């Protein structure tokens, strides 16, 4: 079964770019059955879908974040990444990476999550 | 304001049954599959129900899902204190062209 692990800075300054990486093990990121997604959860609040990317390059972005989000896939490293630009305190959240089965609306495996705080 | 509407909280006694609703529209629930996720305190969400009513391996049959029109429901029978968690419905929205989640429902087992 797949295992996903987020990594990246836990503290980002306002107006800067948040960068996270998700390493996938136990399977290939080149699978045509998935897209590779990011979901976040502000402290004490619910889940918010950020977006995702399939290995073939198709991207899916939350319309409310689209102008600030870039998601990419590195098949050579079996990793995918999230960049969120111009961050504010409202972007403080636990960020999860997850595998999302295409056409079946299933996030079947999740990383443990990483807390990113936006503060000067 | 979430695209999918869930009650903020539900509660019931151990051994009892509870149902959590998830209301959407024709652009999401009414047109595609619904999944449910369980988030125990301090942990990542875990897939609980997929394709409206199917359980992944290892999920007990105390958990069930259903869908009718633009609404879906999660049922839990024989409640245990270990079921205390936040529960989220999720699906694809064709109008938004993205995945959407409900606001989450906190289950308390009294």
């Amino acid at each position: 079964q797949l295992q996903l692990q987020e990594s990246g800075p836990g503290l980002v300054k306002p107006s800067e770019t948040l960068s996270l990486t998700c390493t996938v093990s136990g399977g290939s990121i080149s699978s045509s059955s998935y897209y590779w997604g990011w979901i976040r959860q502000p402290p004490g609040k619910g889940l918010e879908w950020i977006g995702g990317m399939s290995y073939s390059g198709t991207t899916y972005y939350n319309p409310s974040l689209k102008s600030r989000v870039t998601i990419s896939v590195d098949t050579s490293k079996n990793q995918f990444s999230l960049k969120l630009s111009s961050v504010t305190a409202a972007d403080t959240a636990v960020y999860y990476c997850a595998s999302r089965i295409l056409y079946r609306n299933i996030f079947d495996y999740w990383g443990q999550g990483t807390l990113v705080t936006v503060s000067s | 304001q979430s695209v999918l509407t869930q009650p903020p909280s539900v509660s019931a006694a151990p051994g009892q049954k509870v149902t959590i609703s998830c209301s959407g529209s024709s652009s999401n629930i009414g047109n595609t599959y619904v999944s449910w996720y369980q988030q125990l305190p301090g942990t990542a969400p875990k897939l609980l129900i997929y394709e409206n009513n199917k359980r992944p391996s290892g999920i007990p049959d105390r958990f069930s899902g259903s869908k009718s029109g633009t609404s879906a429901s999660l049922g839990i029978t024989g409640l245990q204190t270990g079921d205390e968690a936040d529960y989220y419905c999720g699906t694809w929205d064709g109008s938004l062209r993205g995945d959407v989640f409900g606001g989450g429902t906190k289950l308390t087992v009294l």
Side-chain angles (χ1 to χ4, degrees), chain A residues 34-47:
Chain A
Y34 285 100
Y35 83 66
W36 305 96
W38 291 94
I39 299 106
R40 69 180 182 179
Q41 185 172 37
K45 297 188 177 181
L47 303 173

Side-chain angles (χ1 to χ4, degrees), chain B residues 22-108:
Chain B
C22 175
S23 178
S25 69
S26 58
S27 66
N28 43 65
I29 292 178
N31 199 39
T32 189
Y33 294 125
V34 176
S35 295
W36 289 89
Y37 303 89
Q38 177 192 57
Q39 186 176 33
L40 295 169
T43 69
K46 181 178 83 170
L47 179 65
L48 196 64
I49 297 288
Y50 67 96
E51 292 180 355
N52 305 331
N53 55 18
K54 297 177 182 176
R55 287 176 285 105
S57 174
I59 300 300
D61 60 6
R62 300 187 299 107
F63 296 91
S64 63
S66 64
K67 188 187 103 166
S68 179
T70 59
S71 293
S73 295
L74 172 70
I76 312 173
T77 60
L79 280 170
Q80 303 173 359
T81 56
D83 295 332
E84 286 200 333
D86 293 321
Y87 293 84
Y88 294 89
C89 55
T91 189
W92 175 265
D93 190 294
S95 295
L96 296 174
R97 289 191 52 76
D99 280 289
V100 291
F101 291 101
T105 299
K106 182 177 181 61
L107 168 64
T108 301

Side-chain angles (χ1 to χ4, degrees), chain A residues 13-118:
Chain A
K13 290 181 168 56
S15 80
E16 295 189 345
T17 296
L18 177 160
S19 295
L20 295 174
T21 296
C22 183
T23 301
V24 179
S25 58
S28 174
I29 204 168
S30 299
S31 170
S32 60
S33 299
Y34 285 100
Y35 83 66
W36 305 96
W38 291 94
I39 299 106
R40 69 180 182 179
Q41 185 172 37
K45 297 188 177 181
L47 303 173
E48 179 181 30
W49 177 72
I50 299 171
M53 185 175 190
S54 69
Y55 95 98
S56 63
T58 302
T59 53
Y60 310 87
Y61 291 136
N62 185 325
S64 68
L65 298 170
K66 184 176 182 177
S67 63
R68 298 194 292 131
V69 172
T70 302
I71 296 174
S72 58
V73 170
D74 187 337
T75 55
S76 67
K77 296 181 179 178
N78 229 37
Q79 294 176 335
F80 60 105
S81 299
L82 168 70
K83 292 188 185 299
L84 180 65
S85 64
S86 305
V87 297
T88 69
D91 295 309
T92 294
V94 174
Y95 286 76
Y96 296 100
C97 61
S99 55
R100 198 316 200 143
I101 302 178
L102 290 169
Y103 312 120
R104 296 171 67 193
N105 310 338
I106 303 169
F107 287 98
D108 57 346
Y109 295 101
W110 297 63
Q112 66 184 25
T114 187
L115 174 63
V116 179
T117 302
V118 179

